Amino acid sequence: MDAETSDDIMAATYRALCDHGFADLTMQDIADESSRSKAALHYHYDTKEKLLQAFLEHILDDFEDRLASETADPRDRLETFLEAVFGPTEDDRGDFPVALLEIKAQAPYHDAYRERLAAMDERMRETVADAVRDGVAASDFDDADPDDVARFVVTAINGAHTREVALGEDPSETRRLVESYLDRTLDPTPEMVA
């Protein structure tokens, strides 16, 4: 499939998930948001589950692009990471976090969903751990276990997602707490708070 078709289907899937949620989502809903017919969607993806697996892969690729940092500075890399996680997206639709949480809730029953979500979690932890490891090696950060810091930060981010959807809590509060944690853990003289 060409890039234009893929982009159209992924954008339509995003919009349909925002409008209908995971549980009520149909291939027709996605087709209605796309310039393609339902038959064309089935030509590229046999089932809704296959399409959603591709969508999760698309989200992971997009997230990878947002994490890309040109700088070697560990502090800047952590700031880029936090902005990728907590900053607004280009097409910020308020209902998408709900749909994503619904997909996460299906992970125990769908190996492919779990694998994609685990890959996203692993990529997040690697990004944080690598920045911490480099900062400790360069003596920019206090000695800290990079894997422990990464696990804590990513766990807080996952919790923030649930709190946003279930309780209506603004994720900026979690960002503030994560930045404070990083300051206390990595440097006794705070410089990380944006």
Side-chain angles (χ1 to χ4, degrees), residues 49-115:
E49 285 72 28
K50 295 278 187 195
L51 175 53
L52 288 174
Q53 289 171 24
F55 180 71
L56 286 174
E57 188 66 35
H58 172 77
I59 290 172
L60 183 58
D61 290 344
D62 180 60
F63 188 66
E64 292 266 350
D65 291 344
R66 292 176 63 202
L67 286 179
S69 178
E70 302 282 325
T71 182
D73 182 82
R75 288 181 192 282
D76 289 344
R77 287 172 25 217
L78 286 174
E79 184 58 34
T80 297
F81 171 80
L82 293 175
E83 189 58 29
V85 171
F86 292 110
T89 59
E90 287 180 19
D91 183 20
D92 198 13
R93 303 252 320 229
D95 294 331
F96 184 69
V98 174
L100 184 58
L101 188 60
E102 288 178 308
I103 292 171
K104 286 180 177 181
Q106 295 301 310
Y109 313 107
H110 293 283
D111 290 340
Y113 294 174
R114 183 175 38 251
E115 288 169 12

Side-chain angles (χ1 to χ4, degrees), residues 141-173:
F141 295 154
D142 281 349
D143 190 29
D145 184 300
D147 295 322
D148 285 351
V149 171
R151 180 169 297 280
F152 181 87
V153 168
V154 173
T155 299
I157 289 166
N158 284 321
H161 178 222
T162 301
R163 293 181 67 81
E164 176 186 10
V165 172
L167 304 175
E169 183 176 284
D170 190 323
S172 64
E173 179 63 15

Side-chain angles (χ1 to χ4, degrees), residues 118-188:
M120 187 177 295
D121 188 82
E122 181 179 345
R123 179 65 178 107
M124 290 170 57
R125 284 185 286 117
E126 285 174 0
T127 299
V128 174
D130 287 347
V132 171
R133 191 173 293 109
D134 292 348
V136 169
S139 298
D140 291 336
F141 295 154
D142 281 349
D143 190 29
D145 184 300
D147 295 322
D148 285 351
V149 171
R151 180 169 297 280
F152 181 87
V153 168
V154 173
T155 299
I157 289 166
N158 284 321
H161 178 222
T162 301
R163 293 181 67 81
E164 176 186 10
V165 172
L167 304 175
E169 183 176 284
D170 190 323
S172 64
E173 179 63 15
T174 300
R175 180 177 183 161
R176 183 188 67 75
L177 294 171
V178 166
E179 288 173 336
S180 177
Y181 164 78
L182 290 171
D183 283 342
R184 286 189 319 275
T185 303
L186 302 177
D187 192 349

